[in-house]
Amino acid sequence: MRLRAYQQSAVDSVYEHIRTREDNPVAVLPTGAGKSLVLAQIASDAVNRWNGRVLILAHVRELLEQNADKVRRLCPDIEVGLYSAGLKKRDTNTPILVAGIQSIYKRACELDPFDLIIVDEAHLISKKGDGMYRQFLADCRVINPNVRVIGLTATPFRLDSGMICSPDHFLNEVCFEVGIKELIRDGYLCPLVSKAGVNRADFGDLRIRAGEFVAGDVEELAGDDALVSAACAEIVDLTADRRAVLIFAASVAHGRQVVETLAKNHDIECGFVTGETPADERDELLSRFRGDAPASLLTDEPLRFLCNVNVLTTGFDAPRVDCVVMLRPTMSPGLLYQCVGRGFRLHPGKQNCLVLDFGGNIERHGPIDQIKPKEKATRPDQAPPAKECEKCHALVACGYANCPECGHPFPPPDGEAHDARASEAGVLSGEVTDTECDVQDIVYRIHRKRDSDDDAPRCLRVDYMIGLDRWQSEFVCIEHSGFARRKAEQWWQQRCIDPCPTIAEEALDLAQAGLIAPAESITVRSIAGQRYDRIIGCRLGEVPTVANLEEAPF
């Protein structure tokens, strides 16, 4: 097996770090980028070139088997052992040992010294406390003070403590990182697309405890029968051309609801996997979903739908997955990334992977190629100090029920209504979504840039109401010069028979007198990762004249 260019760069960066520094590096590669090949190459070189002994640590059975397989294929002349209670293996003296942390964390003294420890999914090493990784690595350092640790991960941060690298941690610095969009561009990962829609799910009233949404609140909201029914109907409608749909449910009860609803309302078989699913049943379901069921199971149809609860987030490799459905919200950017990452892998005939986010997660954390840990608030449930009015965009204290500037009512804080439809947010930064929206109301007013001088040029601000409490703004630079003025003149000529004014008050008077053609619909462009949407098109009504104004019934 030959490494891809970026995989070789990751290996070279690790070696350069170890040669030139005395601390421990982390290499960051996206899900599906082939971390197993990178760690296999490093392990092979450590044994063959430097006569070292290597331990490869992981936390789930699938990763242990995957890593051991890659090392054996890359270096068939090296004996590779396995230590895992789940796999019923207890090898101890091999040059390369692949081990489950749950099975080995109390047994460092039984395994003889290691020169190199490679940790897959290294973000699982806590920066504080006495977790299994910390306990085991500390014991290994006592046995061999010169042992080096190398971390591999797709997400170099934790919800509880931010970035995993620090001077006083077992992992000290990211030495290599390759981006999702770069690998998609080069044809190594599958493109992601997201469903667009005007309405969004509302999880604003969920309580937060220990950095995550309270499980009971999530289950109560997500388990609403009408929501489950509507969400399942949309999933079925949007996945008619998809071959493998992986669903992440909020709880076991919620997952069962989804499975039963798909069967009852749509005659669709959906597999279901939880932490309590017996191993044989789980293996059979995953095999059918992957499309590689053994001969004894060929009588069963391949599974198109598979629902799980907190199980298939890491170590699960099913390249056929061409749709990921998030039916749950999460405060963890790493968990969101791991779930969505199940669709990254390439597969024959797979053009892209559709991401349906019913939990508002992408809006919460941003496009997954730009996810970074956020600074923790003083209190997890602390409300922001101010909110923006969606009609006039004034910033006002959160205690107001109505905007003091324009009287616009704010939605109730307990979020009484919840939409069952998927989010419109782009799953990758730069993803462009154009949505045509009917205009229900238009408000004109004068706008001057905040903190500008009194003699600074002003704009005619046009606010379009395009949904329930949703507004989109446009700024017509009436008093500006140059390109901005020319654009304002073009805008005005399309809507009014009078010449474009040079003073903002005159433009406002004409607009409020009904002499500007009203917009019947606007096309709004959203670019994932950018803060503001913008108007790129407009369908106008009739341009007013004196004659048709006189004929108006008002």
Side-chain angles (χ1 to χ4, degrees):
M1 293 186 292
R2 293 187 59 185
L3 298 187
R4 297 168 177 171
Y6 68 87
Q7 292 170 335
Q8 187 61 56
S9 295
V11 172
D12 294 341
S13 298
V14 168
Y15 294 165
E16 177 66 18
H17 186 104
I18 290 177
R19 275 195 300 266
T20 59
R21 299 179 54 150
E22 296 183 355
D23 56 6
N24 298 320
V26 173
V28 179
L29 295 97
T31 300
K35 293 192 297 294
S36 295
L37 278 175
V38 171
L39 67 83
Q41 183 65 61
I42 294 171
S44 172
D45 288 343
V47 174
N48 285 330
R49 295 171 60 180
W50 301 302
N51 196 32
R53 185 163 184 254
V54 181
L55 173 66
I56 299 172
L57 287 176
H59 69 294
V60 293
R61 185 178 71 177
E62 288 82 3
L63 283 178
L64 297 176
E65 294 174 317
Q66 178 179 303
N67 291 337
D69 176 66
K70 290 294 191 299
V71 176
R72 287 169 179 149
R73 291 170 62 189
L74 191 66
C75 40
D77 56 324
I78 300 177
E79 184 181 3
V80 179
L82 265 173
Y83 195 113
S84 167
L87 295 172
K88 297 181 173 59
K89 299 285 289 184
R90 292 286 194 279
D91 299 326
T92 58
N93 298 315
T94 54
I96 298 177
L97 182 63
V98 181
I101 186 61
Q102 297 93 332
S103 302
I104 209 173
Y105 77 101
K106 293 182 178 179
R107 294 179 167 83
C109 297
E110 301 173 16
L111 301 174
D112 296 331
F114 293 99
D115 301 291
L116 184 66
I117 298 175
I118 305 173
V119 182
D120 199 359
E121 305 293 347
H123 58 278
L124 295 176
I125 305 176
S126 174
K127 291 174 68 175
K128 55 187 178 181
D130 298 315
M132 290 184 289
Y133 279 103
R134 289 184 64 85
Q135 179 177 335
F136 179 79
L137 293 175
D139 291 343
C140 287
R141 187 172 283 176
V142 171
I143 297 169
N144 177 12
N146 296 318
V147 66
R148 302 297 290 272
V149 179
I150 296 170
L152 295 175
T153 184
T155 52
F157 48 81
R158 289 173 58 92
L159 180 61
D160 62 349
S161 54
M163 300 302 291
I164 63 174
C165 294
S166 64
D168 58 348
H169 188 33
F170 284 101
L171 301 172
N172 307 112
E173 184 171 293
V174 172
C175 70
F176 176 84
E177 185 168 6
V178 63
I180 297 168
K181 293 181 72 175
E182 179 183 343
L183 296 186
I184 291 176
R185 178 200 66 198
D186 295 342
Y188 294 123
L189 292 181
C190 177
L192 302 181
V193 296
S194 56
K195 179 260 183 188
V198 173
N199 296 286
R200 309 176 185 186
D202 177 13
F203 289 90
D205 61 340
L206 295 180
R207 294 174 296 165
I208 298 172
R209 183 181 300 143
E212 183 57 286
F213 292 119
V214 175
D217 291 358
V218 174
E219 183 170 353
E220 181 179 358
L221 173 60
D224 178 84
D225 289 337
L227 280 175
V228 173
S229 179
C232 286
E234 184 177 3
I235 292 169
V236 171
D237 180 57
L238 294 173
T239 60
D241 60 344
R242 300 286 157 170
R243 293 186 295 178
V245 181
L246 181 61
I247 301 172
F248 291 90
S251 67
V252 173
H254 179 231
R256 289 199 182 103
Q257 273 184 286
V258 171
V259 171
E260 293 168 1
T261 301
L262 288 172
K264 179 180 178 181
N265 295 356
H266 306 281
D267 196 26
I268 288 176
E269 180 190 8
C270 180
F272 188 41
V273 178
T274 73
E276 302 302 319
T277 304
D280 291 346
E281 180 183 346
R282 168 175 163 161
D283 291 344
E284 178 180 338
L285 287 171
L286 297 189
S287 183
R288 288 182 59 199
F289 186 67
R290 290 190 184 104
D292 57 1
S296 61
L297 300 175
L298 289 180
T299 55
D300 292 321
E301 292 288 331
L303 274 177
R304 280 188 62 227
F305 289 78
L306 180 63
C307 181
N308 81 105
V309 181
N310 296 329
V311 173
L312 306 180
T313 54
T314 58
F316 175 60
D317 182 4
R320 290 179 65 247
V321 171
D322 56 0
C323 179
V324 174
V325 182
M326 290 294 291
L327 277 178
R328 55 159 295 177
T330 179
M331 287 294 291
S332 169
L335 177 60
L336 171 63
Y337 178 96
Q338 293 291 352
C339 293
V340 172
R342 299 309 104 195
F344 274 147
R345 299 184 189 277
L346 302 173
H347 192 265
K350 178 178 171 182
Q351 300 298 314
N352 55 51
C353 179
L354 174 65
V355 177
L356 299 179
D357 179 20
F358 290 84
N361 298 296
I362 297 167
E363 291 166 327
R364 187 174 300 114
H365 300 294
I368 63 167
D369 58 313
Q370 292 186 347
I371 285 179
K372 298 293 181 187
K374 298 179 177 64
E375 291 187 9
K376 300 176 75 172
T378 304
R379 298 196 313 271
D381 58 347
Q382 184 175 7
K387 56 187 175 183
E388 183 178 3
C389 174
E390 293 183 343
K391 184 171 183 178
C392 73
H393 298 273
L395 286 175
V396 301
C398 284
Y400 282 100
N402 297 78
C403 176
E405 299 291 332
C406 68
H408 173 71
F410 292 112
D414 58 355
E416 296 171 359
H418 297 280
D419 197 318
R421 284 176 279 186
S423 166
E424 66 178 349
V427 66
L428 287 176
S429 64
E431 181 180 341
V432 178
T433 301
D434 293 341
T435 307
E436 185 175 0
C437 309
D438 291 335
V439 175
Q440 302 170 25
D441 193 11
I442 305 175
V443 176
Y444 300 97
R445 60 196 181 93
I446 295 174
H447 175 82
R448 177 184 279 120
K449 190 174 181 180
R450 188 175 298 166
D451 299 326
S452 60
D453 297 333
D454 290 342
D455 57 351
R458 298 169 298 172
C459 299
L460 176 67
R461 178 169 180 160
V462 188
D463 293 320
Y464 301 96
M465 185 179 183
I466 56 175
L468 181 62
D469 295 329
R470 185 181 176 197
W471 295 76
Q472 179 65 42
S473 299
E474 186 173 34
F475 298 87
V476 187
C477 299
I478 297 294
E479 297 183 359
H480 290 65
S481 59
F483 177 72
R485 171 65 187 183
R486 290 196 296 273
K487 285 195 66 177
E489 291 172 347
Q490 292 172 1
W491 186 94
W492 191 271
Q493 289 166 6
Q494 293 172 351
R495 292 163 172 79
C496 186
I497 61 173
D498 289 356
C500 181
T502 57
I503 300 174
E505 281 89 354
E506 293 180 6
L508 179 62
D509 289 343
L510 291 171
Q512 293 180 338
L515 293 174
I516 293 181
E520 296 178 350
S521 70
I522 59 174
T523 300
V524 180
R525 171 163 292 175
S526 302
I527 302 179
Q530 295 188 10
R531 184 176 179 183
Y532 298 110
D533 299 342
R534 62 188 180 93
I535 298 171
I536 63 167
C538 184
R539 178 165 54 84
L540 297 171
E542 185 179 359
V543 177
T545 65
V546 174
N548 58 32
L549 281 176
E550 291 176 348
E551 296 171 0
F554 46 82

